[in-house]
Every structure is written in C-alpha cells, then in structure tokens.
Amino acid sequence: MNGDLIKIKSGKIDVPDYPIIPFIEGDGIGPDIWKTSQRIMDVAIEKTYGSKRKINWIEVLAGEKAFNKTKSWLPDETVEKIRECVVGIKGPLTTPVGGGIRSINVTLRQVLDLYACIRPVRYYHGIPSPMKNPEYVDMIVFRENTEDVYSGIEWPASSEEANRIISYLENQFGVKIRENSSIGIKPISEFGTKRISKKAFDFALENNRNSVTVVHKGNIMKYTEGAFKNWAYDLAKYEYKNKIIPYNEYKDSGIILKDVIADNMFQQILLRPSEYDVLVMPNLNGDYFSDALAAQVGGLGIAPGGNVGDGFAMFEATHGTAPKYAGLDKVNPGSLLLSGVMMLNYLGWEEAADLIEKSFSETIKQKYVTYDFARQMEGATEVKCSEFGERIISNMNKI
Ligand code: NAP
C-alpha cells in the first residue's frame, strides 16, 4: 500500500499528508457516483494543496461485488482494512434478502463503535424545495447510533420470551401488558447520552455555532428520553461550564443549550428553522429528523452523512442503490460527494472541502444539473452524472 495510515491519538485522528483511505464503491448506481465523486475530490485536493497532499484510495469490497467475488457480502478483510485505515467512505449497498446475513452498516457501527450518526442539512441556492425559504435551514443532526429501540432487543408476540417478560413484569411489578403483545426494549444510558452530547457540544464550539437543541419525547418517556435531556444538561453544567449554557442561565455569550419536545420540533423545523442549529437526539428521533430535514432542502439525493466514533469514521451516501439507474451515468452524485466533503473536513482538509462545496453550489446556480433536479427546475440543462462532475471541476477555477 502506498501512503500512510491515519492514527488515533487520545480519541483524535492524526492525519498524514498521504493518507490511505478505503472506499466501498457500492452497488447499483454506486460505481457511477463514486467515479464522479472521487475525481472531484482528487482534483480539489490537487488544486488546493498541489503535491503536498493526496489521498491514496484503496478499494475494499462489500455488497454484491464482494458476494460475486468471495461469496460473502461483507468479507472480514474489508472490516479489518477499514479498522486499520481508521477513516473510510462508502456508496450505497443492496440490502441482501435472507436470514443470517450481516448488514454492513450495523456490523461496521458495532465493530468500530461508530456511535454518532452525523447529518448536516443546509440549502444550496436553486435546488427545488417544498419550503418558501429553504435557505433558513442550516442544521446538523447528531443522532445517537447504538441505543434506543434500535438495540435489537425485541421479541414477537406469543413467543416464549415475550410471554416470559409479560409474566415477569406482572409478577414482579404488578404491570399489566395485554396478552399477545410484542415486546421491544428501549435502553438509553447516561454513558451513551453523554458521549453523543459531547460530540454535538464539541462540534458547536469548534465551529462557532449558536445553539445546541436536545430533541426528545421526555414528557411521555420520562426515564429514557427525559433522562437523555437531563444528562445532556448535566454534561453542559459540569463539563462545559460557561461554554454551553442552559437557556435559563444564558446571558449574552457562549452557546445556548435548549430542548424541544419532538412533536413540537417537527413544526419548528418548518415554521422557524432559522432558530435551530446543532441538534442532538436519541436514535429513533434522529432517524425521523435526518430525513425530514433533508426533504426540506431538496431530498436524500444530496443528503450527506457520516457515522463517527472516537476516531473511526465512515462517511456514506444516504440514499440507496436506485437499481433502475445502475450504469446509466444518470443520477445525482451529490449525496456521496458531500459525504466526501464531510470526510475532508474531518481530516482537517477544510480548504479542499470548501472548494468542492462552493463549486457544487455554483454548478447548481448555473442550473446545470442531473435529471432529478432538472425535472423540477425551470430552464435547467439536464446532464449526466459525469458531466455534472466535470462542470463542478471547471467551476473550481472561478472560486
Ligand atoms: P433508493 O435506492 O434510495 O431509490 C429510491 C429513489 O430515490 C430512486 O428511484 C430515485 O428516484 C431516487 N434516488 C436515489 N438516489 C438518487 C440519486 N443519487 N440521484 C437521484 N435520485 C436518486 O431506494 P430503494 O429503491 O428503496 O432501495 C434500493 C436498494 O438500496 C435496496 O436494496 C435498499 O435496501 C438499498 N438501500 C441502501 C442504503 C445504504 O446502503 N445506505 C440506503 C437505503 C436503501 P426516482 O425514481 O424518482 O428518480
């Protein structure tokens, strides 16, 4: 392998000038959007840093490509390589149908303890949106990735396990649960809450953001979602004193910490989006809000995402493999490309990230777009995925 490995030192990454970064091209439209995104990233890095910095990409296999070559959807070698290299990026993968198959997202999340699902949501001028003022949306969701009803502790109705839990609750606590009920468990821990809140607080501080909002349903689920809110406030009070300041103690400096109940928050993001900035929330709320917010600024076709732990990180397109467009060089590479922008920012290569973001935005302003935007934009020129990429590259000279 040419290049050097990224290292983790005290939970932070140490990035060499020629880092080795594994990529998973993805299934379906994956190869098209990867090819375009990789080229844009390489050109932006070269334009920004000359020969002083360069990513040494290595392909690792997952999904259909892996299955066809190795009969495994996620070879152990892939997981090991990503662990060794610390940071990676992936296109969308087909979800294999059938039992006993490991999901790549779940496996990587568990193996690398990628506990924060981070989804920035901002508007690029000209993108079709259902909002009157989509430019007011500029938020970043920090979704807890390992707990809540996603921990997979659940049993079907009438199973022996469900029945045993129902009778245990009745015998031990006098709690009555209707017969033939399914059972799911919602664990939310102080540890899990504080570490995701810390990620959100640190991001807010490092990026001079105005506020952090805890989104919860603690009015009903007092000891899970309510505790999430309380632990976030505790963390601010004891570990971020004078930096992250609860709304009722806020004077005029520092970052304000507030909380909003999830159902109200759905109105807030539509009616008063400019009042919100960094959001932190448990897993299920995060799932809903990431996609709802993405829809406000143009949909999943351009929504980037990253799963991040203490050092380890995997950036990924948030949409699926759109199989009907596979190999047509047709779809929007925006989601994967902007995930690449997140990755460059994570590496500390902000200048290259900024160049891509600005020329992406410029290309959309020129209405030189892929079919998904062209069909909703008046006077647009519909272009292929690769042509869109080439225009982004040529626009870099104007930035
Ligand atoms: P999908 O692949 O996201 O596609 C649904 C529709 O979204 C497409 O038909 C297309 O809309 C639009 N779309 C998606 N990506 C686009 C892009 N880059 N540019 C423009 N439009 C885009 O969802 P799906 O059909 O439900 O899932 C297909 C496969 O992907 C399944 O196997 C699923 O399990 C998998 N999946 C993987 C991931 C992941 O790896 N992270 C995530 C979700 C789904 P139009 O038809 O309107 O043009």
Coordinates of all heavy atoms in Angstrom, one line a residue, residues 223-257:
Y223 N -38.1 8.4 31.7 CA -36.9 7.8 32.2 C -35.9 7.4 31.1 O -34.9 6.8 31.3 CB -37.2 6.6 33.2 CG -38.1 7.1 34.3 CD1 -39.3 6.6 34.5 CD2 -37.7 8.2 35.1 CE1 -40.2 7.0 35.5 CE2 -38.5 8.6 36.1 CZ -39.7 8.1 36.3 OH -40.6 8.6 37.3
T224 N -36.4 7.5 29.9 CA -35.5 7.2 28.7 C -35.2 8.6 28.0 O -34.1 9.1 28.1 CB -36.1 6.2 27.8 OG1 -37.4 6.6 27.5 CG2 -36.1 4.8 28.4
E225 N -36.2 9.1 27.3 CA -36.0 10.3 26.6 C -35.8 11.5 27.5 O -35.0 12.4 27.2 CB -37.2 10.6 25.6 CG -37.4 9.4 24.7 CD -37.1 9.8 23.2 OE1 -37.1 11.0 22.9 OE2 -36.9 8.9 22.4
G226 N -36.5 11.5 28.6 CA -36.4 12.6 29.6 C -35.0 12.5 30.2 O -34.4 13.6 30.4
A227 N -34.5 11.3 30.5 CA -33.2 11.2 31.0 C -32.1 11.7 30.0 O -31.1 12.3 30.4 CB -32.9 9.8 31.4
F228 N -32.4 11.4 28.8 CA -31.5 11.9 27.7 C -31.3 13.4 27.8 O -30.2 13.9 27.8 CB -32.0 11.5 26.3 CG -31.1 11.7 25.2 CD1 -30.3 10.8 24.7 CD2 -31.1 13.0 24.6 CE1 -29.4 11.0 23.6 CE2 -30.2 13.3 23.5 CZ -29.4 12.3 23.0
K229 N -32.4 14.0 27.9 CA -32.4 15.5 28.0 C -31.6 15.9 29.3 O -30.7 16.8 29.3 CB -33.8 16.1 28.1 CG -33.9 17.6 28.3 CD -35.3 18.1 28.7 CE -35.5 17.9 30.2 NZ -36.7 18.5 30.7
N230 N -32.0 15.3 30.4 CA -31.3 15.7 31.7 C -29.8 15.5 31.7 O -29.1 16.3 32.2 CB -32.0 15.0 32.9 CG -33.4 15.4 33.1 OD1 -33.8 16.5 32.6 ND2 -34.2 14.5 33.7
W231 N -29.4 14.3 31.1 CA -28.0 14.0 31.1 C -27.2 15.0 30.2 O -26.1 15.4 30.5 CB -27.7 12.6 30.6 CG -28.0 11.6 31.7 CD1 -27.8 11.7 33.1 CD2 -28.7 10.3 31.5 NE1 -28.2 10.6 33.7 CE2 -28.7 9.7 32.8 CE3 -29.2 9.6 30.4 CZ2 -29.3 8.4 33.0 CZ3 -29.7 8.4 30.6 CH2 -29.8 7.8 31.9
A232 N -27.9 15.4 29.1 CA -27.2 16.4 28.2 C -27.0 17.7 29.0 O -26.0 18.4 28.9 CB -28.1 16.7 27.0
Y233 N -28.1 18.1 29.7 CA -27.9 19.4 30.5 C -26.9 19.2 31.6 O -26.1 20.1 31.9 CB -29.3 19.8 31.2 CG -30.2 20.6 30.3 CD1 -31.1 20.0 29.5 CD2 -30.0 22.0 30.2 CE1 -32.0 20.7 28.7 CE2 -30.8 22.7 29.3 CZ -31.8 22.1 28.6 OH -32.6 22.8 27.7
D234 N -26.8 18.0 32.2 CA -25.8 17.8 33.3 C -24.4 17.9 32.7 O -23.5 18.5 33.3 CB -25.9 16.3 33.8 CG -27.0 16.2 34.8 OD1 -27.6 17.2 35.1 OD2 -27.3 15.1 35.2
L235 N -24.2 17.4 31.5 CA -22.9 17.4 30.8 C -22.5 18.9 30.6 O -21.4 19.3 30.9 CB -22.9 16.7 29.5 CG -21.6 16.7 28.8 CD1 -20.7 15.6 29.4 CD2 -21.8 16.3 27.3
A236 N -23.5 19.7 30.1 CA -23.2 21.1 29.9 C -22.8 21.8 31.2 O -21.8 22.5 31.3 CB -24.4 21.8 29.3
K237 N -23.6 21.5 32.2 CA -23.4 22.2 33.5 C -22.0 21.8 34.2 O -21.3 22.7 34.6 CB -24.5 21.7 34.5 CG -24.7 22.5 35.7 CD -26.0 22.1 36.3 CE -26.0 22.5 37.8 NZ -27.1 21.9 38.5
Y238 N -21.7 20.6 34.1 CA -20.4 20.2 34.8 C -19.2 20.1 34.0 O -18.1 20.3 34.5 CB -20.6 18.8 35.5 CG -21.7 18.9 36.5 CD1 -22.9 18.2 36.4 CD2 -21.6 19.6 37.7 CE1 -24.0 18.3 37.3 CE2 -22.6 19.8 38.6 CZ -23.8 19.1 38.5 OH -24.7 19.2 39.4
E239 N -19.3 19.9 32.7 CA -18.1 19.8 31.8 C -18.0 20.9 30.8 O -16.9 21.0 30.2 CB -18.1 18.4 31.2 CG -17.8 17.3 32.2 CD -17.7 15.9 31.6 OE1 -17.1 15.8 30.5 OE2 -18.2 15.0 32.2
Y240 N -19.0 21.7 30.6 CA -18.9 22.7 29.6 C -19.3 24.1 30.2 O -20.0 24.9 29.5 CB -19.7 22.4 28.3 CG -19.2 21.3 27.5 CD1 -19.4 19.9 27.9 CD2 -18.4 21.5 26.4 CE1 -18.8 18.9 27.1 CE2 -17.9 20.5 25.6 CZ -18.1 19.2 26.0 OH -17.5 18.2 25.2
K241 N -19.0 24.3 31.4 CA -19.4 25.5 32.2 C -18.9 26.7 31.4 O -17.8 26.8 30.9 CB -18.7 25.4 33.6 CG -19.5 26.2 34.6 CD -18.9 25.9 36.0 CE -19.4 26.8 37.1 NZ -20.7 27.2 37.1
N242 N -19.8 27.7 31.3 CA -19.5 29.0 30.6 C -19.3 28.8 29.1 O -18.9 29.7 28.4 CB -18.3 29.7 31.2 CG -18.5 30.0 32.6 OD1 -19.6 30.3 33.1 ND2 -17.4 30.0 33.4
K243 N -19.5 27.6 28.6 CA -19.3 27.4 27.2 C -20.6 27.0 26.5 O -21.0 27.6 25.5 CB -18.3 26.3 26.9 CG -16.8 26.7 27.3 CD -15.9 25.6 26.9 CE -14.5 25.8 27.4 NZ -13.9 24.5 27.7
I244 N -21.2 25.9 27.1 CA -22.5 25.5 26.6 C -23.5 25.8 27.7 O -23.4 25.2 28.8 CB -22.6 24.0 26.3 CG1 -21.4 23.6 25.3 CG2 -23.9 23.5 25.8 CD1 -21.7 23.9 23.9
I245 N -24.4 26.8 27.5 CA -25.1 27.4 28.7 C -26.6 27.2 28.6 O -27.2 27.6 27.6 CB -24.8 28.9 28.7 CG1 -23.3 29.1 28.8 CG2 -25.5 29.6 29.9 CD1 -22.8 30.4 28.4
P246 N -27.2 26.5 29.6 CA -28.6 26.2 29.5 C -29.4 27.5 29.3 O -29.0 28.6 29.8 CB -28.9 25.6 30.9 CG -27.6 25.0 31.3 CD -26.5 25.9 30.7
Y247 N -30.5 27.4 28.6 CA -31.2 28.6 28.1 C -31.6 29.5 29.3 O -31.7 30.7 29.2 CB -32.5 28.2 27.3 CG -33.5 27.5 28.1 CD1 -34.5 28.1 28.7 CD2 -33.4 26.1 28.3 CE1 -35.5 27.4 29.5 CE2 -34.3 25.4 29.1 CZ -35.3 26.1 29.6 OH -36.2 25.4 30.4
N248 N -31.9 28.9 30.5 CA -32.4 29.7 31.6 C -31.3 30.4 32.4 O -31.6 31.1 33.3 CB -33.3 28.9 32.6 CG -32.6 27.6 33.0 OD1 -31.5 27.3 32.6 ND2 -33.3 26.8 33.8
E249 N -30.0 30.1 32.0 CA -28.9 30.8 32.7 C -28.2 31.7 31.7 O -27.2 32.3 32.0 CB -27.9 29.7 33.2 CG -28.5 28.9 34.3 CD -27.6 27.7 34.6 OE1 -26.4 27.7 34.2 OE2 -28.1 26.7 35.2
Y250 N -28.6 31.6 30.4 CA -27.9 32.3 29.3 C -28.0 33.8 29.5 O -29.0 34.4 29.8 CB -28.5 31.9 28.0 CG -27.7 32.4 26.8 CD1 -26.5 31.7 26.4 CD2 -28.1 33.5 26.1 CE1 -25.8 32.2 25.4 CE2 -27.3 33.9 25.0 CZ -26.2 33.2 24.6 OH -25.4 33.7 23.6
K251 N -26.8 34.5 29.3 CA -26.8 36.0 29.4 C -26.5 36.4 27.9 O -27.4 36.7 27.2 CB -25.8 36.5 30.4 CG -26.1 36.0 31.8 CD -26.0 37.1 32.8 CE -26.7 36.7 34.1 NZ -26.2 35.4 34.8
D252 N -25.3 36.6 27.6 CA -25.1 37.0 26.2 C -23.9 36.4 25.5 O -23.6 36.8 24.4 CB -25.0 38.6 26.1 CG -24.1 39.1 27.2 OD1 -23.3 38.3 27.7 OD2 -24.3 40.3 27.6
S253 N -23.2 35.5 26.2 CA -22.1 34.9 25.5 C -22.1 33.4 25.7 O -22.7 32.9 26.6 CB -20.7 35.5 26.0 OG -20.5 35.1 27.3
G254 N -21.4 32.7 24.8 CA -21.4 31.2 24.8 C -22.5 30.6 23.9 O -23.2 31.4 23.3
I255 N -22.6 29.3 23.9 CA -23.5 28.7 23.1 C -24.7 28.2 23.9 O -24.6 27.6 25.0 CB -22.9 27.4 22.4 CG1 -21.8 27.9 21.4 CG2 -23.9 26.6 21.7 CD1 -20.9 26.9 20.9
I256 N -25.9 28.6 23.4 CA -27.1 28.3 24.2 C -27.6 26.9 24.1 O -27.5 26.3 23.0 CB -28.2 29.3 23.8 CG1 -29.4 29.3 24.8 CG2 -28.7 29.1 22.4 CD1 -30.3 30.5 24.7
L257 N -27.9 26.3 25.2 CA -28.5 24.9 25.2 C -30.0 24.9 25.4 O -30.4 25.5 26.5 CB -27.7 24.0 26.2 CG -28.2 22.6 26.3 CD1 -28.0 21.8 25.1 CD2 -27.5 21.9 27.5

